[in-house]
Amino acid sequence: MAAVRISSRSGLPSLLLYLGIGIAIGQDGIFDVKFDNAELTQVIGYAALVVILAEGGLGTKWKEVKPALPAAAVLSTVGVGISVGVTASAAHYLVGLEWRQALIIGAVVSSTDAAAVFSVLRKVPLPSRITGVLEAESGFNDAPVVILVVAFSAVGPVEHWYVLVGEIALELAIGAAIGLAVGWLGAFGLRHVALPASGLYPIAVMAIAVSAYATGAMAHGSGFLAVYLAAMVLGNSKLPHWPATRGFADGLGWLAQIGMFVLLGLLVTPHDLIDDFWPAVVVGLVLTAVARPLSVFISLAPFRLPHREKALMSWAGLRGAVPIILATIPMVSGIEGSTRVFNIVFVLVIVYTLIQGPTLPWLARALKIGDDPSETADLGIESAPLERLRGHLLSVEVPGRSKMHGVEVAELRLPAGAAVTLVVRDGKSFVPAPSTVLRRGDELLVVATDPVRDATEARLRAVGEGGKLAGWLGTGGPGVKAQPGTPEPPHLARLAKRLGVGGDRPEDRAGDRRAHH
């Protein structure tokens, strides 16, 4: 747990600390534990990667990723191809590796690591359009890279490039279709079936995500893409007991990272890394300074993004445990020189993660790229179904930047059949009056009947984004109607009239006519 706190406070990806623990335990370390089972490491690494991708998908917001999907898809395919070609050429001509070994290294290090990207980017206040591209890329590019590494590590001649491109396209299509289908079916089932205990919801969500990987792999598709997309669908489906599910997935993701990194540290032999240190530095320098920027600028050229943002995304292509896990594939296949490939990848990942991770916030400030402080934070809403009462209990958290701050309970204008029954403020709970003013940090308990559950949540989110004038500004949400007998407060009506908005409801138009006369 101390390693978790240190990594989260220092801004370093946790892989460095956990790899260090594994190295200290393993050969040449304090306990001198000898471990050389690359096949077991690969199996456990794949399992951990599935959990990490599931956790990342659950935390990915659709509204942030949706605009970034085309750019992330191109960067995960065309960008990977450019990066593989440039890095492999450097490994062959500058380091002297054979073409097969050079291609394996080029493919292995062209995958950005989901765990490293998620852990670093969520602490750096970047605009959502940048984090959306980077997070989606890290979830997408594992699939084509795995196909390339397996193809280059196969015994016999390497297949023609057009055959590999066709295989990649087919596996990605199958994985995407299965992931979206499993995620939608899982979300539909969890919303309409009440489980006997709230603690079963987190387990069910993770089980559905893992089943997407298994189904995709059995269908000869990309299981990694399937699990990421299924988790993303689940994470944006307004499931019951969502904060508990999110916390469970986050903890499981940390356990997967810890186990995977420690095992990789055990597998390496430190004294064998000395001879491969400078080759790794050279390959990493070409990857970071040439291959990654070229792949970003060429792939994203059609999207007309500012050069400052492309420069930041070039530096934010973080590597982590995924390249090291993929480097075990040629070891298991018995490819000549695979141990040296593993050592070069291991050193490269450590050195350049140590450089890129901590300097990313500094580069963002130097390029004057940062999150808009005026952007409102999304409400945290947890829903607990009350089956026998045909209702729902919504737990709403008012974050610091929410425009719900300063809004009276009556000004929420919730649909008929919904009401705020309790407010928790500064550790104390009370039953609010219609004139109670909500504040930052408040927790609300809202009871809603089954027919208006979605409309109630839509109205709450609209007020969180638009404040008191949410209904007047067209942000009331679909199907949201004010409670009968709860008209718009007069001072808001007058303000809306001055702003030239509102007046859509019959009672508003009647009020305007009365005021005119």
Side-chain angles (χ1 to χ4, degrees):
M1 294 303 103
V4 174
R5 290 194 294 269
I6 293 173
S7 64
S8 57
R9 291 175 183 174
S10 64
L12 288 173
S14 56
L15 93 96
L16 297 177
L17 294 170
Y18 304 137
L19 281 176
I21 294 173
I23 293 174
I25 297 174
Q27 192 172 353
D28 296 345
I30 300 174
F31 299 100
D32 197 26
V33 176
K34 292 180 174 58
F35 178 80
D36 59 357
N37 194 332
E39 187 172 1
L40 177 61
T41 303
Q42 180 183 326
V43 171
I44 296 178
Y46 272 29
L49 182 57
V50 169
V51 174
I52 292 169
L53 285 172
E55 189 273 330
L58 291 173
T60 300
K61 296 181 179 179
W62 174 246
K63 65 180 181 180
E64 295 181 1
V65 171
K66 182 180 179 180
L69 283 180
V74 175
L75 193 56
S76 302
T77 51
V78 177
V80 165
I82 295 171
S83 180
V84 171
V86 174
T87 308
S89 299
H92 177 71
Y93 291 110
L94 299 181
V95 179
L97 295 178
E98 296 181 358
W99 270 115
R100 182 186 290 271
Q101 300 170 359
L103 287 170
I104 291 174
I105 287 183
V108 163
V109 298
S110 294
S111 172
T112 55
D113 182 77
V117 170
F118 295 147
S119 63
V120 172
L121 290 185
R122 290 175 184 174
K123 299 180 180 68
V124 181
L126 297 177
S128 58
R129 62 181 175 274
I130 296 180
T131 57
V133 172
L134 293 173
E135 290 192 7
E137 179 204 6
S138 67
F140 292 166
N141 64 11
D142 290 334
V145 165
V146 168
I147 298 171
L148 289 176
V149 175
V150 171
F152 295 150
S153 302
V155 178
V158 179
E159 294 179 326
H160 295 293
W161 67 269
Y162 51 84
V163 177
L164 290 177
V165 170
E167 290 182 358
I168 291 174
L170 179 60
E171 292 197 19
L172 290 179
I174 295 174
I178 291 176
L180 294 174
V182 172
W184 185 86
L185 290 173
F188 180 84
L190 289 175
R191 284 198 304 266
H192 291 82
V193 177
L195 298 178
S198 61
L200 294 177
Y201 282 91
I203 299 175
V205 168
M206 293 302 296
I208 292 170
V210 173
S211 67
Y213 171 82
T215 306
M218 292 176 62
H220 302 287
S222 172
F224 294 122
L225 181 59
V227 67
Y228 181 75
L229 290 178
M232 188 167 64
V233 172
L234 291 168
N236 290 273
S237 297
K238 302 176 184 178
L239 299 179
H241 305 289
W242 179 244
T245 300
R246 189 71 189 90
F248 176 80
D250 189 46
L252 206 59
W254 274 104
L255 288 177
Q257 290 184 54
I258 293 171
M260 177 173 59
F261 296 155
V262 170
L263 194 62
L264 290 171
L266 279 171
L267 185 63
V268 73
T269 304
H271 68 259
D272 290 341
L273 301 177
I274 299 175
D275 294 336
D276 296 316
F277 179 82
W278 289 113
V281 171
V282 171
V283 174
L285 183 62
V286 173
L287 171 68
T288 306
V290 182
R292 173 67 181 181
L294 274 178
S295 65
V296 170
F297 276 82
I298 294 176
S299 300
L300 301 183
F303 301 96
R304 298 181 180 179
L305 295 174
H307 290 310
R308 294 183 297 113
E309 296 185 3
K310 292 180 183 178
L312 185 64
M313 285 190 276
S314 299
W315 191 250
L318 303 176
R319 272 74 192 174
V322 173
I324 304 176
I325 293 172
L326 297 180
T328 62
I329 295 177
M331 296 177 69
V332 175
S333 301
I335 299 298
E336 183 180 356
S338 58
T339 301
R340 191 184 183 196
V341 169
F342 179 86
N343 292 338
I344 290 175
V345 172
F346 191 93
V347 174
L348 184 155
V349 167
I350 290 179
V351 171
Y352 286 93
T353 301
L354 185 61
I355 295 173
Q356 289 177 273
T359 57
L360 187 58
W362 172 84
L363 181 61
R365 290 192 297 268
L367 295 173
K368 298 181 180 180
I369 298 176
D371 201 3
D372 184 1
S374 64
E375 183 178 348
T376 58
D378 192 19
L379 293 178
I381 301 180
E382 178 179 1
S383 172
L386 305 173
E387 280 298 309
R388 290 183 298 175
L389 302 181
R390 301 286 296 169
H392 292 264
L393 201 60
L394 305 181
S395 175
V396 183
E397 298 179 4
V398 182
R401 291 184 295 170
S402 173
K403 292 185 179 179
M404 192 178 286
H405 173 76
V407 176
E408 296 182 3
V409 171
E411 293 171 336
L412 292 175
R413 294 189 295 128
L414 298 178
V420 179
T421 58
L422 198 68
V423 174
V424 180
R425 178 178 296 166
D426 299 327
K428 298 180 180 179
S429 59
F430 60 92
V431 177
S435 59
T436 299
V437 179
L438 303 178
R439 299 178 184 175
R440 299 183 181 93
D442 284 354
E443 296 183 22
L444 316 180
L445 202 62
V446 180
V447 175
T449 57
D450 193 57
V452 300
R453 181 245 186 260
D454 291 338
T456 301
E457 183 170 341
R459 177 61 191 169
L460 290 169
R461 294 189 184 278
V463 175
E465 295 175 1
K468 299 178 180 181
L469 294 178
W472 296 98
L473 299 177
T475 55
V480 180
K481 298 180 180 178
Q483 297 185 29
T486 310
E488 188 75 28
H491 65 285
L492 292 184
R494 291 193 296 270
L495 177 59
K497 186 176 180 180
R498 292 172 188 170
L499 295 174
V501 296
D504 292 333
R505 299 183 300 171
E507 57 266 35
D508 297 331
R509 293 192 292 270
D512 289 342
R513 288 194 296 269
R514 287 193 299 269
H516 177 71
H517 293 303

